[in-house]
Amino acid sequence: MEIKVIKNILGENDRFAAENRAMFAEKGVFVVNFMGSPGAGKTSVLEKTMERLKGELSMAVIEGDLFTSKDAERIDRHGVPVIQINTAGGCHLDANMVQKTVREMDLAALDLLVVENVGNLVCPAEFALGEDARAVVLSVTEGDDKPMKYPLMFKESEIALINKIDLAPYCNFNCASAKEDISMLHPGIEIAELSCTTGEGVDVWCDWLRRGVVAKKAEVRA
Amino acid sequence: MEAEAAQWLRGLFSIHHREAGNNHATKVREVGLLIGEMAGVEQESLEFSWRVLTEGTPAEGAVLKVRRVPLVGRCAKCGREFHIEHYDFWCPVCKDGVLKTISGREMQVEYLEVD
């Protein structure tokens, strides 16, 4: 006997993500799923972001990590509320983990929630968390071929940050080629060249966050 | 990556379990899957994990039949549909038109063949 099914295998995650999305919409908080390889500089970018947006936006961070709380400690030093999720070996965050975590947060008091995913260019792209937008960090030390090697991550992101741009001359990183590939995968994506050492490009990224926050608040009022 | 495969399989397994249970199946012969070209699923690892997970269950020995779904986009400007080559999401005709994905991201259970 054949039973017709047609069900999404990740349907359960999608259900949790939809619940999260509704909760974030109700509270008017702009939520970013922040992704990239281990060592791409995700936490460093967040540190710069916190410095820049301090006193302007009310922000909180969820830190996804396999085992440690090293990144959460770095965030905590900036006086920004941070909650750690340890996936105990899991290579990505899922919507259920995020839902359990945000229950401990005062979402209504926030403008911006950044969820730093586990360092990985593959799996996090498959799991919606209920976010408004995805952002991917690619550092020049990883090589300009990464967008085409990990297409889904770039396809699914609204903004790509090319980090450690001050090191580009030493890394044989063809920035034009990387940008062309990213734009081919996702026509219209925003791309910012950025360095946490020199501060270059941090404003472009922060402006993108500001616009997201404003758009989200407008949505809630409408 | 292994954790993703595990989660993926849990999803697959729970669908199969529910459907088979609802239909009072005693033995699952075959599971039909729809996997998009851009779904990033590795068939060999999937089959290996499926074998491990179904051991000692009514689905032990069930065959996974995978149907690949091509990555197809529709141009937002001219409305034509194209198979997306080399992940280039620009319309090959309009040049500045953007292809919106209409298939190729599937990860679905299509059918179960049971006794």
Side-chain angles (χ1 to χ4, degrees):
Chain A
M1 170 175 66
E2 186 182 304
I3 309 169
K4 285 272 168 219
V5 184
I6 308 284
K7 281 211 170 101
N8 285 326
I9 289 171
L10 296 180
E12 198 179 345
N13 185 71
D14 292 341
R15 262 196 309 283
F16 279 113
E19 287 173 17
N20 293 351
R21 188 164 291 119
M23 181 167 50
F24 297 144
E26 189 196 319
K27 307 288 184 190
V29 53
F30 180 58
V31 181
V32 179
N33 183 357
F34 202 49
M35 307 182 289
S37 303
K42 295 181 294 301
T43 312
S44 298
V45 171
L46 288 185
E47 287 183 295
K48 282 284 160 198
T49 310
M50 291 182 293
E51 280 171 22
R52 207 60 65 95
L53 297 178
K54 199 171 192 167
E56 184 190 332
L57 291 182
S58 163
M59 176 177 169
V61 174
I62 293 175
E63 274 293 341
D65 194 281
L66 292 146
F67 302 108
T68 78
S69 58
K70 285 178 186 295
D71 292 346
E73 287 158 21
R74 284 168 65 185
I75 303 294
D76 186 56
R77 274 180 226 133
H78 292 261
V80 164
V82 55
I83 297 184
Q84 177 75 52
I85 300 178
N86 280 132
T87 58
C91 58
H92 60 272
L93 296 177
D94 65 40
N96 186 23
M97 296 176 193
V98 170
Q99 188 167 108
K100 283 189 200 148
T101 307
V102 293
R103 284 200 197 113
E104 300 168 34
M105 288 182 149
D106 181 10
L107 288 176
L110 294 179
D111 300 313
L112 171 65
L113 172 63
V114 180
V115 183
E116 184 181 333
N117 220 308
V118 178
N120 179 345
L121 272 183
V122 185
C123 313
E126 295 281 7
F127 292 83
L129 306 177
E131 69 274 46
D132 293 289
R134 296 174 173 191
V136 57
V137 184
L138 167 72
S139 60
V140 300
T141 49
E142 295 163 55
D144 51 38
D145 55 351
K146 294 304 169 288
M148 292 314 282
K149 284 186 162 188
Y150 302 91
L152 190 60
M153 179 66 63
F154 293 86
K155 177 72 193 157
E156 296 282 306
S157 294
E158 298 304 317
I159 183 167
L161 307 178
I162 302 182
N163 192 25
K164 309 184 191 177
I165 197 70
D166 52 313
L167 299 181
Y170 313 103
C171 295
N172 220 359
F173 184 88
N174 186 335
C175 199
S177 155
K179 283 167 123 174
E180 195 181 313
D181 287 348
I182 295 170
S183 299
M184 196 170 91
L185 281 161
H186 185 162
I189 189 173
E190 280 209 42
I191 304 176
E193 295 175 25
L194 191 140
S195 163
C196 295
T197 308
T198 67
E200 179 188 342
V202 176
D203 276 333
V204 179
W205 159 241
C206 287
D207 280 342
W208 181 85
L209 289 172
R210 288 183 184 104
R211 287 201 302 278
V213 167
V214 168
K216 189 70 186 245
K217 299 244 183 264
E219 225 174 85
V220 173
R221 274 195 297 271
Chain B
M1 284 2 79
E2 276 152 35
E4 190 202 23
Q7 192 151 4
W8 211 96
L9 273 158
R10 269 204 303 279
L12 169 54
F13 198 69
S14 75
I15 291 171
H16 129 263
H17 203 69
R18 205 162 43 238
E19 295 293 333
N22 289 346
N23 288 278
H24 310 290
T26 51
K27 177 86 190 134
V28 179
R29 300 266 168 215
E30 197 174 294
V31 179
L33 299 176
L34 285 175
I35 305 292
E37 200 183 325
M38 206 179 181
V41 174
E42 224 278 289
Q43 198 162 332
E44 265 182 42
S45 341
L46 179 67
E47 279 167 0
F48 171 74
S49 322
W50 174 252
R51 274 201 304 278
V52 173
L53 199 70
T54 52
E55 246 168 52
T57 76
E60 184 168 350
V63 182
L64 286 181
K65 275 269 166 65
V66 175
R67 196 148 68 88
R68 289 273 166 183
V69 186
L71 183 60
V72 174
R74 182 182 293 125
C75 175
K77 212 170 157 189
C78 71
R80 286 192 190 87
E81 290 177 11
F82 302 93
H83 179 243
I84 295 169
E85 308 281 347
H86 311 294
Y87 298 123
D88 186 347
F89 285 79
W90 291 104
C91 174
V93 175
C94 299
K95 304 300 177 197
D96 61 344
V98 173
L99 300 179
K100 295 281 172 214
T101 310
I102 55 172
S103 78
R105 289 293 322 277
E106 295 78 0
M107 283 199 218
Q108 292 175 330
V109 178
E110 190 183 16
Y111 67 87
L112 300 176
E113 184 64 52
V114 300
D115 292 339

